mmCIF file of all heavy atoms in Angstrom:
data_model
loop_
_atom_site.group_PDB
_atom_site.id
_atom_site.type_symbol
_atom_site.label_atom_id
_atom_site.label_comp_id
_atom_site.label_asym_id
_atom_site.label_seq_id
_atom_site.Cartn_x
_atom_site.Cartn_y
_atom_site.Cartn_z
ATOM 1 N N TRP K 223 -1.884 12.252 5.300
ATOM 2 C CA TRP K 223 -1.134 11.129 5.883
ATOM 3 C C TRP K 223 0.297 11.587 6.088
ATOM 4 O O TRP K 223 0.857 12.330 5.278
ATOM 5 C CB TRP K 223 -1.157 9.921 4.950
ATOM 6 C CG TRP K 223 -0.386 8.738 5.471
ATOM 7 C CD1 TRP K 223 -0.827 7.786 6.331
ATOM 8 C CD2 TRP K 223 0.971 8.379 5.143
ATOM 9 N NE1 TRP K 223 0.152 6.849 6.567
ATOM 10 C CE2 TRP K 223 1.275 7.188 5.853
ATOM 11 C CE3 TRP K 223 1.960 8.958 4.320
ATOM 12 C CZ2 TRP K 223 2.512 6.574 5.771
ATOM 13 C CZ3 TRP K 223 3.198 8.336 4.249
ATOM 14 C CH2 TRP K 223 3.468 7.158 4.962
ATOM 15 N N SER K 224 0.882 11.158 7.197
ATOM 16 C CA SER K 224 2.293 11.463 7.455
ATOM 17 C C SER K 224 2.984 10.199 7.947
ATOM 18 O O SER K 224 2.330 9.223 8.346
ATOM 19 C CB SER K 224 2.423 12.573 8.506
ATOM 20 O OG SER K 224 1.990 12.105 9.778
ATOM 21 N N ARG K 225 4.311 10.233 7.912
ATOM 22 C CA ARG K 225 5.065 9.053 8.358
ATOM 23 C C ARG K 225 4.742 8.708 9.806
ATOM 24 O O ARG K 225 4.761 7.542 10.200
ATOM 25 C CB ARG K 225 6.567 9.303 8.205
ATOM 26 C CG ARG K 225 6.997 9.719 6.792
ATOM 27 C CD ARG K 225 6.805 8.617 5.778
ATOM 28 N NE ARG K 225 6.832 9.119 4.416
ATOM 29 C CZ ARG K 225 7.421 8.490 3.403
ATOM 30 N NH1 ARG K 225 8.045 7.354 3.611
ATOM 31 N NH2 ARG K 225 7.382 8.996 2.199
ATOM 32 N N SER K 226 4.416 9.729 10.589
ATOM 33 C CA SER K 226 4.096 9.465 11.994
ATOM 34 C C SER K 226 2.766 8.722 12.149
ATOM 35 O O SER K 226 2.526 8.070 13.170
ATOM 36 C CB SER K 226 4.053 10.776 12.790
ATOM 37 O OG SER K 226 3.036 11.634 12.288
ATOM 38 N N ASP K 227 1.899 8.808 11.135
ATOM 39 C CA ASP K 227 0.646 8.054 11.190
ATOM 40 C C ASP K 227 0.882 6.562 10.992
ATOM 41 O O ASP K 227 0.050 5.739 11.390
ATOM 42 C CB ASP K 227 -0.330 8.549 10.109
ATOM 43 C CG ASP K 227 -0.797 9.969 10.359
ATOM 44 O OD1 ASP K 227 -1.145 10.267 11.521
ATOM 45 O OD2 ASP K 227 -0.831 10.768 9.405
ATOM 46 N N GLY K 228 1.994 6.225 10.358
ATOM 47 C CA GLY K 228 2.336 4.823 10.180
ATOM 48 C C GLY K 228 1.366 4.087 9.268
ATOM 49 O O GLY K 228 0.717 4.666 8.393
ATOM 50 N N LEU K 229 1.247 2.791 9.507
ATOM 51 C CA LEU K 229 0.425 1.939 8.651
ATOM 52 C C LEU K 229 -1.028 1.847 9.100
ATOM 53 O O LEU K 229 -1.872 1.327 8.344
ATOM 54 C CB LEU K 229 1.018 0.521 8.586
ATOM 55 C CG LEU K 229 2.437 0.373 8.033
ATOM 56 C CD1 LEU K 229 2.783 -1.104 7.876
ATOM 57 C CD2 LEU K 229 2.598 1.097 6.706
ATOM 58 N N ASP K 230 -1.340 2.334 10.283
ATOM 59 C CA ASP K 230 -2.704 2.157 10.801
ATOM 60 C C ASP K 230 -3.793 2.602 9.823
ATOM 61 O O ASP K 230 -4.766 1.874 9.601
ATOM 62 C CB ASP K 230 -2.869 2.894 12.135
ATOM 63 C CG ASP K 230 -2.283 2.120 13.301
ATOM 64 O OD1 ASP K 230 -1.890 0.948 13.093
ATOM 65 O OD2 ASP K 230 -2.207 2.672 14.405
ATOM 66 N N PRO K 231 -3.686 3.785 9.209
ATOM 67 C CA PRO K 231 -4.757 4.204 8.300
ATOM 68 C C PRO K 231 -4.825 3.383 7.003
ATOM 69 O O PRO K 231 -5.802 3.484 6.261
ATOM 70 C CB PRO K 231 -4.413 5.664 7.985
ATOM 71 C CG PRO K 231 -3.432 6.085 9.026
ATOM 72 C CD PRO K 231 -2.677 4.846 9.377
ATOM 73 N N LEU K 232 -3.784 2.595 6.741
ATOM 74 C CA LEU K 232 -3.693 1.858 5.479
ATOM 75 C C LEU K 232 -4.102 0.400 5.619
ATOM 76 O O LEU K 232 -4.264 -0.307 4.611
ATOM 77 C CB LEU K 232 -2.262 1.924 4.933
ATOM 78 C CG LEU K 232 -1.661 3.330 4.821
ATOM 79 C CD1 LEU K 232 -0.193 3.246 4.410
ATOM 80 C CD2 LEU K 232 -2.447 4.175 3.820
ATOM 81 N N ARG K 233 -4.272 -0.035 6.840
ATOM 82 C CA ARG K 233 -4.568 -1.448 7.076
ATOM 83 C C ARG K 233 -5.990 -1.803 6.626
ATOM 84 O O ARG K 233 -6.812 -0.957 6.375
ATOM 85 C CB ARG K 233 -4.374 -1.798 8.546
ATOM 86 C CG ARG K 233 -2.911 -1.767 8.984
ATOM 87 C CD ARG K 233 -2.716 -2.368 10.371
ATOM 88 N NE ARG K 233 -1.291 -2.528 10.652
ATOM 89 C CZ ARG K 233 -0.574 -1.737 11.433
ATOM 90 N NH1 ARG K 233 -1.164 -0.710 12.035
ATOM 91 N NH2 ARG K 233 0.712 -1.948 11.616
ATOM 92 N N HIS K 234 -6.228 -3.117 6.537
ATOM 93 C CA HIS K 234 -7.546 -3.666 6.189
ATOM 94 C C HIS K 234 -7.998 -3.176 4.817
ATOM 95 O O HIS K 234 -9.128 -2.720 4.636
ATOM 96 C CB HIS K 234 -8.572 -3.316 7.274
ATOM 97 C CG HIS K 234 -8.158 -3.748 8.638
ATOM 98 N ND1 HIS K 234 -8.106 -5.068 9.018
ATOM 99 C CD2 HIS K 234 -7.720 -3.035 9.708
ATOM 100 C CE1 HIS K 234 -7.673 -5.160 10.271
ATOM 101 N NE2 HIS K 234 -7.422 -3.931 10.705
ATOM 102 N N SER K 235 -7.091 -3.310 3.836
ATOM 103 C CA SER K 235 -7.370 -2.891 2.463
ATOM 104 C C SER K 235 -7.273 -4.102 1.542
ATOM 105 O O SER K 235 -6.245 -4.786 1.521
ATOM 106 C CB SER K 235 -6.359 -1.833 1.998
ATOM 107 O OG SER K 235 -6.383 -0.695 2.837
ATOM 108 N N LEU K 236 -8.328 -4.342 0.782
ATOM 109 C CA LEU K 236 -8.264 -5.407 -0.216
ATOM 110 C C LEU K 236 -7.222 -5.053 -1.276
ATOM 111 O O LEU K 236 -6.438 -5.900 -1.704
ATOM 112 C CB LEU K 236 -9.633 -5.612 -0.861
ATOM 113 C CG LEU K 236 -9.693 -6.629 -1.992
ATOM 114 C CD1 LEU K 236 -9.283 -8.016 -1.508
ATOM 115 C CD2 LEU K 236 -11.072 -6.665 -2.620
ATOM 116 N N VAL K 237 -7.241 -3.799 -1.723
ATOM 117 C CA VAL K 237 -6.212 -3.283 -2.628
ATOM 118 C C VAL K 237 -5.715 -1.961 -2.067
ATOM 119 O O VAL K 237 -6.509 -1.125 -1.642
ATOM 120 C CB VAL K 237 -6.753 -3.054 -4.056
ATOM 121 C CG1 VAL K 237 -5.619 -2.598 -4.982
ATOM 122 C CG2 VAL K 237 -7.406 -4.315 -4.619
ATOM 123 N N LEU K 238 -4.410 -1.781 -2.068
ATOM 124 C CA LEU K 238 -3.800 -0.491 -1.733
ATOM 125 C C LEU K 238 -2.837 -0.137 -2.851
ATOM 126 O O LEU K 238 -1.906 -0.899 -3.145
ATOM 127 C CB LEU K 238 -3.052 -0.563 -0.396
ATOM 128 C CG LEU K 238 -2.194 0.661 -0.043
ATOM 129 C CD1 LEU K 238 -3.061 1.906 0.110
ATOM 130 C CD2 LEU K 238 -1.376 0.413 1.220
ATOM 131 N N ASN K 239 -3.068 0.987 -3.500
ATOM 132 C CA ASN K 239 -2.114 1.503 -4.478
ATOM 133 C C ASN K 239 -1.266 2.552 -3.782
ATOM 134 O O ASN K 239 -1.740 3.649 -3.473
ATOM 135 C CB ASN K 239 -2.825 2.104 -5.690
ATOM 136 C CG ASN K 239 -1.841 2.511 -6.789
ATOM 137 O OD1 ASN K 239 -0.631 2.422 -6.613
ATOM 138 N ND2 ASN K 239 -2.368 2.968 -7.906
ATOM 139 N N ALA K 240 -0.004 2.212 -3.518
ATOM 140 C CA ALA K 240 0.933 3.133 -2.874
ATOM 141 C C ALA K 240 1.763 3.802 -3.969
ATOM 142 O O ALA K 240 2.684 3.186 -4.531
ATOM 143 C CB ALA K 240 1.824 2.382 -1.892
ATOM 144 N N ILE K 241 1.425 5.027 -4.284
ATOM 145 C CA ILE K 241 2.127 5.789 -5.321
ATOM 146 C C ILE K 241 3.305 6.478 -4.639
ATOM 147 O O ILE K 241 3.163 7.539 -4.027
ATOM 148 C CB ILE K 241 1.160 6.778 -5.996
ATOM 149 C CG1 ILE K 241 0.009 6.008 -6.664
ATOM 150 C CG2 ILE K 241 1.895 7.642 -7.010
ATOM 151 C CD1 ILE K 241 -1.113 6.888 -7.175
ATOM 152 N N THR K 242 4.452 5.848 -4.725
ATOM 153 C CA THR K 242 5.603 6.275 -3.934
ATOM 154 C C THR K 242 6.892 5.774 -4.561
ATOM 155 O O THR K 242 6.880 4.805 -5.337
ATOM 156 C CB THR K 242 5.492 5.738 -2.489
ATOM 157 O OG1 THR K 242 6.566 6.233 -1.702
ATOM 158 C CG2 THR K 242 5.503 4.214 -2.461
ATOM 159 N N THR K 243 8.007 6.407 -4.210
ATOM 160 C CA THR K 243 9.335 5.897 -4.572
ATOM 161 C C THR K 243 10.042 5.310 -3.355
ATOM 162 O O THR K 243 11.213 4.944 -3.431
ATOM 163 C CB THR K 243 10.200 7.024 -5.161
ATOM 164 O OG1 THR K 243 10.318 8.081 -4.196
ATOM 165 C CG2 THR K 243 9.596 7.562 -6.449
ATOM 166 N N ASP K 244 9.330 5.210 -2.237
ATOM 167 C CA ASP K 244 9.906 4.759 -0.970
ATOM 168 C C ASP K 244 9.866 3.227 -0.902
ATOM 169 O O ASP K 244 8.843 2.628 -0.582
ATOM 170 C CB ASP K 244 9.116 5.367 0.190
ATOM 171 C CG ASP K 244 9.733 5.083 1.546
ATOM 172 O OD1 ASP K 244 10.530 4.128 1.645
ATOM 173 O OD2 ASP K 244 9.397 5.802 2.511
ATOM 174 N N ASP K 245 10.999 2.609 -1.213
ATOM 175 C CA ASP K 245 11.053 1.145 -1.210
ATOM 176 C C ASP K 245 10.840 0.564 0.178
ATOM 177 O O ASP K 245 10.265 -0.532 0.324
ATOM 178 C CB ASP K 245 12.399 0.667 -1.765
ATOM 179 C CG ASP K 245 12.538 0.902 -3.264
ATOM 180 O OD1 ASP K 245 11.523 1.284 -3.896
ATOM 181 O OD2 ASP K 245 13.650 0.704 -3.796
ATOM 182 N N ASP K 246 11.295 1.259 1.209
ATOM 183 C CA ASP K 246 11.097 0.755 2.571
ATOM 184 C C ASP K 246 9.612 0.720 2.919
ATOM 185 O O ASP K 246 9.142 -0.229 3.570
ATOM 186 C CB ASP K 246 11.848 1.633 3.582
ATOM 187 C CG ASP K 246 13.363 1.483 3.471
ATOM 188 O OD1 ASP K 246 13.821 0.449 2.933
ATOM 189 O OD2 ASP K 246 14.088 2.407 3.911
ATOM 190 N N LEU K 247 8.874 1.731 2.480
ATOM 191 C CA LEU K 247 7.433 1.746 2.713
ATOM 192 C C LEU K 247 6.761 0.587 1.978
ATOM 193 O O LEU K 247 5.894 -0.094 2.527
ATOM 194 C CB LEU K 247 6.845 3.085 2.273
ATOM 195 C CG LEU K 247 5.318 3.231 2.368
ATOM 196 C CD1 LEU K 247 4.830 3.029 3.802
ATOM 197 C CD2 LEU K 247 4.884 4.593 1.839
ATOM 198 N N LEU K 248 7.183 0.344 0.746
ATOM 199 C CA LEU K 248 6.622 -0.778 -0.005
ATOM 200 C C LEU K 248 6.951 -2.105 0.676
ATOM 201 O O LEU K 248 6.101 -3.018 0.725
ATOM 202 C CB LEU K 248 7.134 -0.766 -1.439
ATOM 203 C CG LEU K 248 6.635 0.387 -2.316
ATOM 204 C CD1 LEU K 248 7.313 0.354 -3.685
ATOM 205 C CD2 LEU K 248 5.115 0.339 -2.480
ATOM 206 N N ASP K 249 8.157 -2.226 1.216
ATOM 207 C CA ASP K 249 8.508 -3.434 1.976
ATOM 208 C C ASP K 249 7.547 -3.632 3.145
ATOM 209 O O ASP K 249 7.048 -4.743 3.385
ATOM 210 C CB ASP K 249 9.942 -3.329 2.517
ATOM 211 C CG ASP K 249 10.998 -3.633 1.474
ATOM 212 O OD1 ASP K 249 10.673 -4.305 0.475
ATOM 213 O OD2 ASP K 249 12.151 -3.191 1.661
ATOM 214 N N ASP K 250 7.309 -2.548 3.871
ATOM 215 C CA ASP K 250 6.412 -2.640 5.032
ATOM 216 C C ASP K 250 5.003 -3.041 4.610
ATOM 217 O O ASP K 250 4.336 -3.840 5.293
ATOM 218 C CB ASP K 250 6.360 -1.300 5.768
ATOM 219 C CG ASP K 250 7.667 -0.961 6.482
ATOM 220 O OD1 ASP K 250 8.479 -1.884 6.695
ATOM 221 O OD2 ASP K 250 7.869 0.233 6.800
ATOM 222 N N LEU K 251 4.543 -2.496 3.481
ATOM 223 C CA LEU K 251 3.183 -2.787 3.037
ATOM 224 C C LEU K 251 3.057 -4.200 2.478
ATOM 225 O O LEU K 251 2.030 -4.854 2.666
ATOM 226 C CB LEU K 251 2.742 -1.750 2.004
ATOM 227 C CG LEU K 251 2.549 -0.335 2.556
ATOM 228 C CD1 LEU K 251 2.362 0.666 1.426
ATOM 229 C CD2 LEU K 251 1.351 -0.284 3.507
ATOM 230 N N ILE K 252 4.092 -4.677 1.793
ATOM 231 C CA ILE K 252 4.081 -6.062 1.315
ATOM 232 C C ILE K 252 3.973 -7.024 2.495
ATOM 233 O O ILE K 252 3.303 -8.058 2.428
ATOM 234 C CB ILE K 252 5.358 -6.361 0.494
ATOM 235 C CG1 ILE K 252 5.199 -5.839 -0.937
ATOM 236 C CG2 ILE K 252 5.675 -7.851 0.476
ATOM 237 C CD1 ILE K 252 4.268 -6.668 -1.818
ATOM 238 N N ASN K 253 4.616 -6.678 3.585
ATOM 239 C CA ASN K 253 4.643 -7.561 4.754
ATOM 240 C C ASN K 253 3.508 -7.304 5.738
ATOM 241 O O ASN K 253 3.420 -7.978 6.766
ATOM 242 C CB ASN K 253 5.988 -7.424 5.472
ATOM 243 C CG ASN K 253 7.131 -7.976 4.637
ATOM 244 O OD1 ASN K 253 7.063 -9.104 4.154
ATOM 245 N ND2 ASN K 253 8.172 -7.182 4.431
ATOM 246 N N GLU K 254 2.642 -6.338 5.430
ATOM 247 C CA GLU K 254 1.492 -6.052 6.290
ATOM 248 C C GLU K 254 0.372 -7.050 5.966
ATOM 249 O O GLU K 254 -0.185 -7.044 4.870
ATOM 250 C CB GLU K 254 1.009 -4.615 6.067
ATOM 251 C CG GLU K 254 -0.335 -4.274 6.679
ATOM 252 C CD GLU K 254 -0.435 -4.609 8.152
ATOM 253 O OE1 GLU K 254 0.483 -4.263 8.922
ATOM 254 O OE2 GLU K 254 -1.452 -5.232 8.534
ATOM 255 N N PRO K 255 -0.002 -7.919 6.907
ATOM 256 C CA PRO K 255 -0.952 -8.994 6.588
ATOM 257 C C PRO K 255 -2.356 -8.526 6.243
ATOM 258 O O PRO K 255 -3.103 -9.258 5.586
ATOM 259 C CB PRO K 255 -0.950 -9.858 7.860
ATOM 260 C CG PRO K 255 -0.397 -8.988 8.935
ATOM 261 C CD PRO K 255 0.535 -8.044 8.275
ATOM 262 N N THR K 256 -2.741 -7.326 6.675
ATOM 263 C CA THR K 256 -4.111 -6.873 6.388
ATOM 264 C C THR K 256 -4.223 -6.111 5.073
ATOM 265 O O THR K 256 -5.326 -5.692 4.707
ATOM 266 C CB THR K 256 -4.656 -5.994 7.533
ATOM 267 O OG1 THR K 256 -3.953 -4.745 7.551
ATOM 268 C CG2 THR K 256 -4.542 -6.693 8.871
ATOM 269 N N VAL K 257 -3.112 -5.908 4.377
ATOM 270 C CA VAL K 257 -3.150 -5.360 3.022
ATOM 271 C C VAL K 257 -3.087 -6.555 2.075
ATOM 272 O O VAL K 257 -2.050 -7.211 1.951
ATOM 273 C CB VAL K 257 -1.988 -4.383 2.764
ATOM 274 C CG1 VAL K 257 -1.949 -3.965 1.295
ATOM 275 C CG2 VAL K 257 -2.118 -3.156 3.662
ATOM 276 N N THR K 258 -4.208 -6.845 1.419
ATOM 277 C CA THR K 258 -4.310 -8.076 0.647
ATOM 278 C C THR K 258 -3.565 -7.995 -0.674
ATOM 279 O O THR K 258 -2.837 -8.913 -1.048
ATOM 280 C CB THR K 258 -5.790 -8.408 0.392
ATOM 281 O OG1 THR K 258 -6.480 -8.434 1.648
ATOM 282 C CG2 THR K 258 -5.947 -9.743 -0.293
ATOM 283 N N ASN K 259 -3.750 -6.899 -1.411
ATOM 284 C CA ASN K 259 -3.081 -6.694 -2.695
ATOM 285 C C ASN K 259 -2.429 -5.323 -2.693
ATOM 286 O O ASN K 259 -3.067 -4.343 -2.290
ATOM 287 C CB ASN K 259 -4.073 -6.770 -3.860
ATOM 288 C CG ASN K 259 -4.753 -8.118 -3.940
ATOM 289 O OD1 ASN K 259 -4.103 -9.145 -3.912
ATOM 290 N ND2 ASN K 259 -6.071 -8.112 -4.036
ATOM 291 N N LEU K 260 -1.196 -5.259 -3.148
ATOM 292 C CA LEU K 260 -0.451 -4.002 -3.169
ATOM 293 C C LEU K 260 -0.070 -3.665 -4.603
ATOM 294 O O LEU K 260 0.570 -4.457 -5.296
ATOM 295 C CB LEU K 260 0.806 -4.105 -2.308
ATOM 296 C CG LEU K 260 1.685 -2.854 -2.252
ATOM 297 C CD1 LEU K 260 0.942 -1.695 -1.588
ATOM 298 C CD2 LEU K 260 2.991 -3.145 -1.517
ATOM 299 N N TYR K 261 -0.494 -2.496 -5.059
ATOM 300 C CA TYR K 261 -0.082 -1.961 -6.352
ATOM 301 C C TYR K 261 0.790 -0.737 -6.086
ATOM 302 O O TYR K 261 0.762 -0.162 -5.004
ATOM 303 C CB TYR K 261 -1.279 -1.551 -7.205
ATOM 304 C CG TYR K 261 -2.250 -2.657 -7.558
ATOM 305 C CD1 TYR K 261 -3.454 -2.355 -8.186
ATOM 306 C CD2 TYR K 261 -1.982 -3.992 -7.280
ATOM 307 C CE1 TYR K 261 -4.361 -3.347 -8.533
ATOM 308 C CE2 TYR K 261 -2.874 -4.995 -7.622
ATOM 309 C CZ TYR K 261 -4.067 -4.672 -8.245
ATOM 310 O OH TYR K 261 -4.952 -5.651 -8.579
ATOM 311 N N SER K 262 1.527 -0.331 -7.099
ATOM 312 C CA SER K 262 2.327 0.880 -6.947
ATOM 313 C C SER K 262 2.477 1.551 -8.302
ATOM 314 O O SER K 262 3.148 1.029 -9.194
ATOM 315 C CB SER K 262 3.715 0.554 -6.375
ATOM 316 O OG SER K 262 4.447 1.745 -6.153
ATOM 317 N N GLY K 263 1.805 2.690 -8.451
ATOM 318 C CA GLY K 263 1.955 3.449 -9.682
ATOM 319 C C GLY K 263 0.646 3.693 -10.406
ATOM 320 O O GLY K 263 -0.423 3.720 -9.794
ATOM 321 N N ASN K 264 0.738 3.829 -11.700
ATOM 322 C CA ASN K 264 -0.385 4.286 -12.516
ATOM 323 C C ASN K 264 -1.288 3.124 -12.915
ATOM 324 O O ASN K 264 -1.478 2.838 -14.097
ATOM 325 C CB ASN K 264 0.168 5.003 -13.751
ATOM 326 C CG ASN K 264 -0.802 6.041 -14.294
ATOM 327 O OD1 ASN K 264 -1.842 6.287 -13.702
ATOM 328 N ND2 ASN K 264 -0.452 6.639 -15.423
ATOM 329 N N ARG K 265 -1.852 2.442 -11.918
ATOM 330 C CA ARG K 265 -2.737 1.309 -12.125
ATOM 331 C C ARG K 265 -4.025 1.531 -11.333
ATOM 332 O O ARG K 265 -3.974 1.848 -10.146
ATOM 333 C CB ARG K 265 -2.096 0.013 -11.644
ATOM 334 C CG ARG K 265 -0.814 -0.360 -12.366
ATOM 335 C CD ARG K 265 -1.104 -0.958 -13.728
ATOM 336 N NE ARG K 265 0.114 -1.423 -14.376
ATOM 337 C CZ ARG K 265 0.128 -2.026 -15.564
ATOM 338 N NH1 ARG K 265 -1.000 -2.224 -16.211
ATOM 339 N NH2 ARG K 265 1.267 -2.408 -16.102
ATOM 340 N N PRO K 266 -5.187 1.348 -11.952
ATOM 341 C CA PRO K 266 -6.422 1.470 -11.178
ATOM 342 C C PRO K 266 -6.544 0.323 -10.178
ATOM 343 O O PRO K 266 -6.043 -0.786 -10.427
ATOM 344 C CB PRO K 266 -7.519 1.387 -12.248
ATOM 345 C CG PRO K 266 -6.895 0.637 -13.377
ATOM 346 C CD PRO K 266 -5.437 1.017 -13.367
ATOM 347 N N THR K 267 -7.191 0.582 -9.088
ATOM 348 C CA THR K 267 -7.278 -0.439 -8.045
ATOM 349 C C THR K 267 -8.171 -1.605 -8.438
ATOM 350 O O THR K 267 -8.111 -2.670 -7.801
ATOM 351 C CB THR K 267 -7.798 0.174 -6.729
ATOM 352 O OG1 THR K 267 -9.036 0.869 -6.979
ATOM 353 C CG2 THR K 267 -6.787 1.140 -6.141
ATOM 354 N N TYR K 268 -8.981 -1.448 -9.490
ATOM 355 C CA TYR K 268 -9.825 -2.563 -9.931
ATOM 356 C C TYR K 268 -9.107 -3.461 -10.943
ATOM 357 O O TYR K 268 -9.683 -4.431 -11.449
ATOM 358 C CB TYR K 268 -11.134 -2.045 -10.542
ATOM 359 C CG TYR K 268 -10.964 -1.161 -11.752
ATOM 360 C CD1 TYR K 268 -10.727 -1.689 -13.015
ATOM 361 C CD2 TYR K 268 -11.016 0.234 -11.622
ATOM 362 C CE1 TYR K 268 -10.560 -0.864 -14.125
ATOM 363 C CE2 TYR K 268 -10.844 1.058 -12.732
ATOM 364 C CZ TYR K 268 -10.619 0.503 -13.972
ATOM 365 O OH TYR K 268 -10.439 1.309 -15.062
ATOM 366 N N HIS K 269 -7.834 -3.169 -11.252
ATOM 367 C CA HIS K 269 -7.100 -3.952 -12.247
ATOM 368 C C HIS K 269 -6.929 -5.390 -11.767
ATOM 369 O O HIS K 269 -6.432 -5.647 -10.681
ATOM 370 C CB HIS K 269 -5.722 -3.324 -12.486
ATOM 371 C CG HIS K 269 -4.866 -4.102 -13.442
ATOM 372 N ND1 HIS K 269 -5.051 -4.067 -14.802
ATOM 373 C CD2 HIS K 269 -3.830 -4.955 -13.229
ATOM 374 C CE1 HIS K 269 -4.168 -4.838 -15.402
ATOM 375 N NE2 HIS K 269 -3.406 -5.392 -14.460
ATOM 376 N N MET K 270 -7.374 -6.349 -12.588
ATOM 377 C CA MET K 270 -7.247 -7.758 -12.258
ATOM 378 C C MET K 270 -6.931 -8.547 -13.531
ATOM 379 O O MET K 270 -7.399 -8.212 -14.620
ATOM 380 C CB MET K 270 -8.548 -8.307 -11.643
ATOM 381 C CG MET K 270 -8.833 -7.805 -10.241
ATOM 382 S SD MET K 270 -7.725 -8.555 -9.023
ATOM 383 C CE MET K 270 -8.046 -7.487 -7.606
#
C-alpha cells in the first residue's frame, strides 16, 4: 500500500486496524463512511 493508493483499498471494512502514527490518515479513516470501526495499534480486530 502507498499513499498514492489512497483509501480505495481500505474501504468497505467492518474493522480496520490502522497501525500508524499519521494522525491525518486516522482523521481520513474516521470520516470514511465505509469503514465501520477503526482501531489503531496493538489490538486484535475481533476485540469487542
Side-chain angles (χ1 to χ4, degrees):
W223 179 84
S224 68
R225 305 293 163 140
S226 62
D227 294 315
L229 300 187
D230 281 352
L232 308 174
R233 291 191 170 103
H234 305 290
S235 301
L236 176 61
V237 184
L238 171 63
N239 186 355
I241 299 171
T242 184
T243 59
D244 186 340
D245 289 351
D246 290 339
L247 176 59
L248 292 175
D249 281 339
D250 290 342
L251 292 170
I252 279 286
N253 292 309
E254 168 53 48
T256 69
V257 173
T258 306
N259 299 310
L260 180 64
Y261 299 172
S262 184
N264 207 5
R265 298 282 185 178
T267 53
Y268 60 80
H269 177 77
M270 289 287 167

